[in-house]
Amino acid sequence: MSLAVTSAFAAANRHAGAVLYDVRLLSEQGGPVRAALGADLTTDPIRDLAAYDTILVAAGIVIPETTPILAAALRAAARARRRVAGLCLGSFVLGEAGLLDGRRATTHWRYAQLFRDRYPASTLEIDKIYIADGTIWTSAGMSAAIDLAVGMIERDHGRDLAHSVARGLVMERRRAGGQAQHSALLDVDAPSDRVQAVLAYARRNLHLPLTTEALAAVACLSPRQFTRLFRAETGTSPAKAVEAIRVEAARLMLEQSRLPIEEIARETGFANRERMRRSFLRVHGEGPRTIRQAAGPLAVA
């Protein structure tokens, strides 16, 4: 999955009509490298990382080994080159090389405690999609590496090209570095078409009251039957699910727009900012203003 990051740079070349990025795959020894699913990747040796502008350290689904040769090469590259990035568990490689000491970083949320234990001199911000701290970049799990790459493209060549790349890659939305790794919508899912249709209806109609009775009518069930089925499939009540969907939609608007908080509250069905604030405190433990401030500008150093 980390190798998908190369598609963002290829798309940038295509949309710009010029070779903005020349991407190479490197390994310590060079030659073919076997991926987890059995495909061989052709790589060049890392003899001179100083020849490259940007170094991206990719990783699979287990924490990679960091050899002394690789660590030394990365330290030299960090001193001489414009930026070095650790993608997902690749951040552990940067940590082993000592490149995260005194810096902010992120990685996959599942490995947060292990990261803190290993690299106490680094400030782990596990609620971020990616972070650019000076010349050192790190990303959260898997697909967040693509967001990091698009962030680099924006830093290099501006927002218009970055948005063209995001659209070309059919990214659902442009995610800035300050966004949270975890989406509440992942927790509100259901196996049956009936309940899926209700969830889709709720997401399309946040401005409506979305009472249990109204949702039951969409499912063509009585409120009691619907509530029982909904809880069995999602593990939560219709009211709590609607709240989570509203909060998620509002959070995205806070991170991706400069709309007034009061307007976002109305757009997402909260009626007013105080009701939205209370829901945010229940779901996220912090208010809308704090989340907007945490999102900040795109991957600023």
mmCIF file of all heavy atoms in Angstrom, residues 73-100:
data_model
loop_
_atom_site.group_PDB
_atom_site.id
_atom_site.type_symbol
_atom_site.label_atom_id
_atom_site.label_comp_id
_atom_site.label_asym_id
_atom_site.label_seq_id
_atom_site.Cartn_x
_atom_site.Cartn_y
_atom_site.Cartn_z
ATOM 1 N N ALA A 73 22.677 5.936 6.242
ATOM 2 C CA ALA A 73 22.338 6.574 4.976
ATOM 3 C C ALA A 73 21.225 7.613 5.161
ATOM 4 O O ALA A 73 21.258 8.696 4.569
ATOM 5 C CB ALA A 73 21.919 5.518 3.955
ATOM 6 N N LEU A 74 20.243 7.298 5.993
ATOM 7 C CA LEU A 74 19.146 8.232 6.234
ATOM 8 C C LEU A 74 19.614 9.451 7.016
ATOM 9 O O LEU A 74 19.182 10.576 6.753
ATOM 10 C CB LEU A 74 18.012 7.533 6.980
ATOM 11 C CG LEU A 74 17.219 6.517 6.151
ATOM 12 C CD1 LEU A 74 16.252 5.744 7.043
ATOM 13 C CD2 LEU A 74 16.453 7.211 5.024
ATOM 14 N N ARG A 75 20.499 9.258 7.982
ATOM 15 C CA ARG A 75 21.027 10.405 8.730
ATOM 16 C C ARG A 75 21.796 11.344 7.813
ATOM 17 O O ARG A 75 21.660 12.571 7.889
ATOM 18 C CB ARG A 75 21.920 9.924 9.878
ATOM 19 C CG ARG A 75 21.139 9.350 11.050
ATOM 20 C CD ARG A 75 22.040 9.185 12.270
ATOM 21 N NE ARG A 75 23.052 8.155 12.052
ATOM 22 C CZ ARG A 75 22.882 6.871 12.359
ATOM 23 N NH1 ARG A 75 21.736 6.466 12.893
ATOM 24 N NH2 ARG A 75 23.851 5.989 12.163
ATOM 25 N N ALA A 76 22.594 10.765 6.907
ATOM 26 C CA ALA A 76 23.343 11.599 5.961
ATOM 27 C C ALA A 76 22.394 12.327 5.018
ATOM 28 O O ALA A 76 22.584 13.514 4.713
ATOM 29 C CB ALA A 76 24.332 10.735 5.171
ATOM 30 N N ALA A 77 21.347 11.616 4.564
ATOM 31 C CA ALA A 77 20.382 12.232 3.656
ATOM 32 C C ALA A 77 19.616 13.358 4.345
ATOM 33 O O ALA A 77 19.346 14.399 3.737
ATOM 34 C CB ALA A 77 19.411 11.177 3.134
ATOM 35 N N ALA A 78 19.288 13.167 5.618
ATOM 36 C CA ALA A 78 18.539 14.190 6.345
ATOM 37 C C ALA A 78 19.349 15.471 6.505
ATOM 38 O O ALA A 78 18.794 16.571 6.537
ATOM 39 C CB ALA A 78 18.120 13.657 7.711
ATOM 40 N N ARG A 79 20.664 15.338 6.578
ATOM 41 C CA ARG A 79 21.517 16.523 6.686
ATOM 42 C C ARG A 79 21.670 17.233 5.345
ATOM 43 O O ARG A 79 21.794 18.460 5.291
ATOM 44 C CB ARG A 79 22.907 16.129 7.214
ATOM 45 C CG ARG A 79 22.916 15.697 8.669
ATOM 46 C CD ARG A 79 24.356 15.585 9.185
ATOM 47 N NE ARG A 79 25.113 14.555 8.470
ATOM 48 C CZ ARG A 79 25.204 13.297 8.864
ATOM 49 N NH1 ARG A 79 24.567 12.904 9.968
ATOM 50 N NH2 ARG A 79 25.929 12.427 8.180
ATOM 51 N N ALA A 80 21.629 16.464 4.251
ATOM 52 C CA ALA A 80 21.975 17.031 2.945
ATOM 53 C C ALA A 80 20.780 17.294 2.039
ATOM 54 O O ALA A 80 20.857 18.124 1.141
ATOM 55 C CB ALA A 80 22.955 16.089 2.220
ATOM 56 N N ARG A 81 19.665 16.588 2.263
ATOM 57 C CA ARG A 81 18.570 16.670 1.307
ATOM 58 C C ARG A 81 17.413 17.490 1.863
ATOM 59 O O ARG A 81 17.352 17.812 3.040
ATOM 60 C CB ARG A 81 18.069 15.278 0.897
ATOM 61 C CG ARG A 81 19.132 14.340 0.412
ATOM 62 C CD ARG A 81 20.223 14.995 -0.418
ATOM 63 N NE ARG A 81 19.731 15.679 -1.609
ATOM 64 C CZ ARG A 81 20.377 16.655 -2.244
ATOM 65 N NH1 ARG A 81 21.533 17.097 -1.774
ATOM 66 N NH2 ARG A 81 19.860 17.208 -3.325
ATOM 67 N N ARG A 82 16.450 17.807 0.982
ATOM 68 C CA ARG A 82 15.366 18.714 1.345
ATOM 69 C C ARG A 82 14.405 18.113 2.353
ATOM 70 O O ARG A 82 13.926 18.788 3.244
ATOM 71 C CB ARG A 82 14.618 19.130 0.070
ATOM 72 C CG ARG A 82 13.607 20.250 0.290
ATOM 73 C CD ARG A 82 13.338 20.975 -1.006
ATOM 74 N NE ARG A 82 12.739 20.119 -2.012
ATOM 75 C CZ ARG A 82 11.434 20.122 -2.305
ATOM 76 N NH1 ARG A 82 10.614 20.910 -1.635
ATOM 77 N NH2 ARG A 82 10.961 19.334 -3.248
ATOM 78 N N ARG A 83 14.084 16.820 2.223
ATOM 79 C CA ARG A 83 13.136 16.221 3.162
ATOM 80 C C ARG A 83 13.246 14.693 3.136
ATOM 81 O O ARG A 83 13.598 14.090 2.124
ATOM 82 C CB ARG A 83 11.700 16.651 2.848
ATOM 83 C CG ARG A 83 11.246 16.312 1.458
ATOM 84 C CD ARG A 83 9.992 17.073 1.063
ATOM 85 N NE ARG A 83 9.680 16.836 -0.341
ATOM 86 C CZ ARG A 83 8.847 17.579 -1.061
ATOM 87 N NH1 ARG A 83 8.236 18.612 -0.508
ATOM 88 N NH2 ARG A 83 8.626 17.295 -2.327
ATOM 89 N N VAL A 84 12.918 14.112 4.287
ATOM 90 C CA VAL A 84 12.876 12.660 4.454
ATOM 91 C C VAL A 84 11.535 12.343 5.112
ATOM 92 O O VAL A 84 11.118 13.032 6.045
ATOM 93 C CB VAL A 84 14.036 12.162 5.333
ATOM 94 C CG1 VAL A 84 13.908 10.661 5.586
ATOM 95 C CG2 VAL A 84 15.368 12.486 4.685
ATOM 96 N N ALA A 85 10.862 11.308 4.629
ATOM 97 C CA ALA A 85 9.535 10.969 5.148
ATOM 98 C C ALA A 85 9.470 9.501 5.538
ATOM 99 O O ALA A 85 10.019 8.638 4.852
ATOM 100 C CB ALA A 85 8.454 11.275 4.114
ATOM 101 N N GLY A 86 8.767 9.220 6.626
ATOM 102 C CA GLY A 86 8.468 7.855 7.032
ATOM 103 C C GLY A 86 6.994 7.594 6.810
ATOM 104 O O GLY A 86 6.143 8.287 7.377
ATOM 105 N N LEU A 87 6.662 6.633 5.960
ATOM 106 C CA LEU A 87 5.279 6.337 5.620
ATOM 107 C C LEU A 87 4.751 5.225 6.517
ATOM 108 O O LEU A 87 5.300 4.122 6.534
ATOM 109 C CB LEU A 87 5.174 5.913 4.148
ATOM 110 C CG LEU A 87 5.837 6.846 3.132
ATOM 111 C CD1 LEU A 87 5.642 6.310 1.717
ATOM 112 C CD2 LEU A 87 5.306 8.266 3.255
ATOM 113 N N CYS A 88 3.694 5.516 7.269
ATOM 114 C CA CYS A 88 3.094 4.527 8.163
ATOM 115 C C CYS A 88 4.163 3.989 9.111
ATOM 116 O O CYS A 88 4.792 4.757 9.840
ATOM 117 C CB CYS A 88 2.426 3.431 7.347
ATOM 118 S SG CYS A 88 1.438 2.264 8.324
ATOM 119 N N LEU A 89 4.442 2.686 9.099
ATOM 120 C CA LEU A 89 5.436 2.116 9.998
ATOM 121 C C LEU A 89 6.863 2.473 9.583
ATOM 122 O O LEU A 89 7.816 2.160 10.310
ATOM 123 C CB LEU A 89 5.265 0.597 10.071
ATOM 124 C CG LEU A 89 3.921 0.130 10.653
ATOM 125 C CD1 LEU A 89 3.857 -1.390 10.702
ATOM 126 C CD2 LEU A 89 3.673 0.729 12.018
ATOM 127 N N GLY A 90 7.018 3.136 8.447
ATOM 128 C CA GLY A 90 8.324 3.672 8.069
ATOM 129 C C GLY A 90 8.810 4.716 9.062
ATOM 130 O O GLY A 90 10.011 5.007 9.126
ATOM 131 N N SER A 91 7.889 5.280 9.852
ATOM 132 C CA SER A 91 8.302 6.236 10.881
ATOM 133 C C SER A 91 9.199 5.567 11.923
ATOM 134 O O SER A 91 10.055 6.223 12.531
ATOM 135 C CB SER A 91 7.072 6.856 11.548
ATOM 136 O OG SER A 91 6.284 5.860 12.167
ATOM 137 N N PHE A 92 9.023 4.252 12.127
ATOM 138 C CA PHE A 92 9.891 3.538 13.066
ATOM 139 C C PHE A 92 11.328 3.508 12.553
ATOM 140 O O PHE A 92 12.270 3.527 13.343
ATOM 141 C CB PHE A 92 9.373 2.121 13.295
ATOM 142 C CG PHE A 92 8.237 2.043 14.276
ATOM 143 C CD1 PHE A 92 6.945 2.362 13.893
ATOM 144 C CD2 PHE A 92 8.460 1.656 15.585
ATOM 145 C CE1 PHE A 92 5.892 2.296 14.792
ATOM 146 C CE2 PHE A 92 7.418 1.591 16.500
ATOM 147 C CZ PHE A 92 6.125 1.915 16.107
ATOM 148 N N VAL A 93 11.493 3.451 11.232
ATOM 149 C CA VAL A 93 12.842 3.474 10.664
ATOM 150 C C VAL A 93 13.495 4.828 10.940
ATOM 151 O O VAL A 93 14.665 4.905 11.326
ATOM 152 C CB VAL A 93 12.797 3.187 9.148
ATOM 153 C CG1 VAL A 93 14.197 3.265 8.549
ATOM 154 C CG2 VAL A 93 12.179 1.815 8.885
ATOM 155 N N LEU A 94 12.732 5.902 10.766
ATOM 156 C CA LEU A 94 13.285 7.225 11.062
ATOM 157 C C LEU A 94 13.604 7.350 12.545
ATOM 158 O O LEU A 94 14.611 7.964 12.924
ATOM 159 C CB LEU A 94 12.294 8.315 10.660
ATOM 160 C CG LEU A 94 11.853 8.370 9.193
ATOM 161 C CD1 LEU A 94 11.136 9.685 8.911
ATOM 162 C CD2 LEU A 94 13.019 8.182 8.251
ATOM 163 N N GLY A 95 12.744 6.749 13.376
ATOM 164 C CA GLY A 95 13.015 6.774 14.808
ATOM 165 C C GLY A 95 14.291 6.044 15.166
ATOM 166 O O GLY A 95 15.099 6.526 15.980
ATOM 167 N N GLU A 96 14.509 4.878 14.570
ATOM 168 C CA GLU A 96 15.728 4.111 14.827
ATOM 169 C C GLU A 96 16.968 4.868 14.362
ATOM 170 O O GLU A 96 18.049 4.725 14.947
ATOM 171 C CB GLU A 96 15.660 2.752 14.128
ATOM 172 C CG GLU A 96 14.653 1.784 14.737
ATOM 173 C CD GLU A 96 14.993 1.419 16.163
ATOM 174 O OE1 GLU A 96 16.176 1.149 16.444
ATOM 175 O OE2 GLU A 96 14.082 1.423 17.005
ATOM 176 N N ALA A 97 16.813 5.673 13.311
ATOM 177 C CA ALA A 97 17.938 6.447 12.806
ATOM 178 C C ALA A 97 18.173 7.719 13.616
ATOM 179 O O ALA A 97 19.122 8.462 13.351
ATOM 180 C CB ALA A 97 17.701 6.816 11.336
ATOM 181 N N GLY A 98 17.318 7.974 14.615
ATOM 182 C CA GLY A 98 17.479 9.153 15.455
ATOM 183 C C GLY A 98 16.967 10.436 14.827
ATOM 184 O O GLY A 98 17.228 11.527 15.353
ATOM 185 N N LEU A 99 16.196 10.326 13.750
ATOM 186 C CA LEU A 99 15.757 11.518 13.038
ATOM 187 C C LEU A 99 14.507 12.163 13.629
ATOM 188 O O LEU A 99 14.115 13.252 13.217
ATOM 189 C CB LEU A 99 15.494 11.181 11.563
ATOM 190 C CG LEU A 99 16.696 10.669 10.782
ATOM 191 C CD1 LEU A 99 16.312 10.422 9.322
ATOM 192 C CD2 LEU A 99 17.846 11.653 10.861
ATOM 193 N N LEU A 100 13.875 11.469 14.588
ATOM 194 C CA LEU A 100 12.654 12.017 15.166
ATOM 195 C C LEU A 100 12.872 12.620 16.548
ATOM 196 O O LEU A 100 11.930 13.146 17.140
ATOM 197 C CB LEU A 100 11.578 10.922 15.247
ATOM 198 C CG LEU A 100 11.176 10.293 13.906
ATOM 199 C CD1 LEU A 100 10.074 9.272 14.124
ATOM 200 C CD2 LEU A 100 10.725 11.364 12.910
#
